[in-house]
Amino acid sequence: MSDSKSDGALRRLTPMQISPVMLRANADRVVILPFSISINPRDSAMGAMSRVNRVCQAIAAMSADQVRDELEMVNRDFTGRHWQTRGIFLERFRQIKEMNGGLEGLDEDHMALVGAYFCHEYSYQAAAVMNPSVVPHPDQTGANGGTNFIMSTRTVGEGHISTISFREGTFHKDGTIVLKPEADYAVAAKPAHHAPLDGAVTVQGHQACPISETVLFPVTRAQTNGLEDLRMVMFRDEVGATSFMGTYTAYNGREIACECFETSDFRSFRLTPFVGAASQHKGLAFFPRKLNDRWAAIGRLDHESIFYLESDDKYSWNNGERLMGPEEPWELIQLGNCGSPIELDEGWLVLTHGVGAVRRYSLGAALLDKDNPRIVLARSKEPLLSPSEDNREGYVPNVIYTCGAMRCGEWIFMPYGVADSSIHFASIRISDLLAHLGVTPAAKT
């Protein structure tokens, strides 16, 4: 624990513990994606022949020796950077064949080379890494009294395209964290079937790949320009079974839409658009269990306040009841939630973000009544975390932000982004957080 002068990521009014661990954007993290060119003959100087057809015919005409030489160069440059490149190239060949027709009777080397010509590398976090959320890992092996976790991150690459990626680690009972080493390769999750242009879609990471290798890319038209700000939560149903859910913002370059993320194993992911009035706003986040036999969520419906919502259908969200709006100077521009509520003995803990002068983002907290979350019991008068002079510069300066924290025993563990350029890690004892809110801890039974 250090004082406010030495804590670079915050101006501190609470006993937050800041980890020295930090993540920054890494341009070396690349995946292989489809490279698409026109199949319309009008877009080619060849007139009656499309560019795709021209390239395919040129490769088909190569001798076996020529193809081997070209593949050797491709393998020398790219095999060490990716997992199972030949399989990726052959899968891409099958897509090109289905799209373009022809290409019958080619041997496997010719097919692999065709596929390679219609792939490209993409550095998915070259520009920024930000806005993490965190849930307990489904596998707690080796936690030794701590909590294994999975953290989601929003990663941004060329064209300002946002993707969702993951890291694994352990939060120890003394408040320290350890991240597992980054995997050697990154692999784009693929649609389980032909992806629809609109609506729900299931995407799958490779079963043999570590979770930290999997990257979720846009698939539908609503997601074209990115999947932003996943807010994960471990959800417990009526019989005690757990799964992992979340919400994120789908962006098509013009409009935003809120969509639902669901997985049981972080191998297969169901992505489903929400419907209703609330689906056009950012920030919707599930409670970790049903309330009053209904799905419950918090969100921001007016761009400046936090609302409580209930629904009989987890994919349909409409209007809610306003819980709280801007009051303090550090949140006068707008107030919003930072991820899903966390259940404590004393009530529902909601982390908040406030925007103040010069568009400065700070983090706070609020406590909702456990039996009736429409009642606000307490809220931060001063922020928990704010940008400071020595930690405010980056892709988007003067911003500290998180998409979710989790309870680990007597701690709240919170990864957070700084200036959309790095991810840091904070923790605070629940008793200290309650003291910050002016709440007396519930008596132990």
Side-chain angles (χ1 to χ4, degrees):
M1 220 184 301
S2 54
D3 61 27
S4 59
K5 293 182 180 179
S6 59
D7 267 342
L10 65 154
R11 292 181 177 163
R12 203 152 75 83
L13 297 171
T14 55
M16 299 288 288
Q17 182 167 306
I18 307 300
S19 170
V21 177
M22 180 178 63
L23 295 180
R24 290 193 180 276
N26 180 5
D28 292 341
R29 301 293 290 172
V30 290
V31 297
I32 293 181
L33 295 179
F35 171 59
S36 298
I37 59 178
S38 175
I39 61 172
N40 191 331
R42 290 178 299 179
D43 295 329
S44 169
M46 302 299 290
M49 183 185 300
S50 70
R51 293 173 65 197
V52 171
N53 201 27
R54 175 181 60 77
V55 172
C56 290
Q57 286 194 19
I59 298 170
M62 291 181 183
S63 69
D65 288 341
Q66 283 180 295
V67 169
R68 278 194 296 270
D69 289 343
E70 293 299 321
L71 280 176
E72 283 180 8
M73 286 191 292
V74 169
N75 291 335
R76 183 174 63 247
D77 289 340
F78 296 102
T79 297
R81 294 164 60 86
H82 300 280
W83 186 76
Q84 293 190 350
T85 52
R86 189 173 181 89
I88 294 172
F89 295 156
L90 291 173
E91 172 62 25
R92 184 61 176 146
F93 167 80
R94 287 187 283 271
Q95 295 170 356
I96 294 297
K97 182 179 179 182
E98 181 178 333
M99 176 180 66
N100 193 63
L103 300 176
E104 304 293 342
L106 297 182
D107 60 36
E108 191 175 284
D109 279 353
H110 277 80
M111 290 190 289
L113 188 59
V114 169
Y117 269 86
F118 293 95
C119 289
H120 73 117
E121 278 193 330
Y122 183 81
S123 180
Y124 63 94
Q125 58 171 278
V129 59
M130 64 182 96
N131 300 0
S133 68
V134 66
V135 290
H137 201 297
D139 181 2
Q140 290 296 315
T141 302
N144 297 322
T147 305
N148 294 336
F149 63 83
I150 295 177
M151 180 179 68
S152 69
T153 66
R154 175 181 168 188
T155 39
V156 182
E158 177 188 354
H160 201 79
I161 303 299
S162 292
T163 53
I164 296 169
S165 57
F166 304 95
R167 286 295 296 269
E168 300 169 86
T170 301
F171 179 88
H172 294 291
K173 54 187 176 182
D174 63 354
T176 60
I177 74 156
V178 173
L179 290 179
K180 281 189 176 181
E182 201 164 42
D184 292 335
Y185 306 117
V187 180
K190 297 179 180 179
H193 307 288
H194 287 293
L197 292 177
D198 301 291
V201 61
T202 296
V203 296
Q204 294 178 333
H206 198 285
Q207 296 301 306
C209 291
I211 293 169
S212 58
E213 285 189 3
T214 301
V215 186
L216 307 187
F217 278 83
V219 177
T220 65
R221 284 189 292 200
Q223 304 167 356
T224 305
N225 280 58
L227 310 174
E228 302 178 356
D229 300 349
L230 173 61
R231 291 165 163 82
M232 294 193 299
V233 66
M234 186 173 75
F235 186 86
R236 192 175 302 274
D237 67 17
E238 296 87 339
V239 298
T242 59
S243 61
F244 301 93
M245 300 177 60
T247 66
Y248 61 90
T249 301
Y251 179 55
N252 66 7
R254 300 176 305 280
E255 301 169 326
I256 61 166
C258 193
E259 300 191 346
C260 183
F261 163 100
E262 297 172 271
T263 185
S264 60
D265 56 5
F266 287 88
R267 303 292 183 185
S268 179
F269 307 88
R270 183 72 171 169
L271 308 177
T272 306
F274 288 122
V275 297
S279 67
Q280 300 305 308
H281 293 271
K282 293 184 176 183
L284 194 73
F286 290 110
F287 277 72
R289 59 178 173 86
K290 284 187 174 181
L291 303 179
N292 308 315
D293 294 321
R294 305 183 79 199
W295 297 92
I298 53 173
R300 197 175 65 214
L301 305 183
D302 64 355
H303 304 289
E304 65 176 16
S305 307
I306 297 176
F307 286 73
Y308 174 76
L309 304 90
E310 286 188 1
S311 177
D312 294 319
D313 179 354
K314 66 180 172 182
Y315 302 123
S316 179
W317 297 92
N318 284 291
N319 297 314
E321 300 173 52
R322 186 176 183 270
L323 293 179
M324 50 186 162
E327 289 183 1
E328 305 298 336
W330 59 275
E331 60 187 18
L332 276 183
I333 294 294
Q334 71 183 43
L335 181 71
N337 65 294
C338 289
S340 292
I342 300 169
E343 189 167 9
L344 306 178
D345 294 337
E346 295 77 10
W348 293 103
L349 174 68
V350 176
L351 295 175
T352 66
H353 74 268
V355 182
V358 201
R359 197 175 174 267
R360 185 166 176 263
Y361 276 68
S362 300
L363 299 183
L367 191 69
L368 311 181
D369 187 83
K370 198 164 185 177
D371 296 322
N372 184 1
R374 298 170 178 83
I375 299 173
V376 179
L377 300 177
R379 58 187 290 184
S380 295
K381 295 296 184 184
E382 298 286 346
L384 288 167
L385 294 174
S386 293
S388 67
E389 287 76 5
D390 56 350
N391 204 339
R392 61 192 293 182
E393 311 298 348
Y395 193 58
V396 181
N398 302 307
V399 171
I400 282 182
Y401 196 83
T402 182
C403 286
M406 71 178 189
R407 181 176 184 172
C408 300
E410 296 304 311
W411 293 86
I412 297 298
F413 167 52
M414 183 185 72
Y416 62 97
V418 173
D420 286 2
S421 299
S422 59
I423 291 176
H424 300 238
F425 301 88
S427 56
I428 184 171
R429 292 188 184 275
I430 293 172
S431 58
D432 291 329
L433 182 50
L434 293 173
H436 163 80
L437 293 171
V439 175
T440 301
K444 301 297 181 182
T445 57

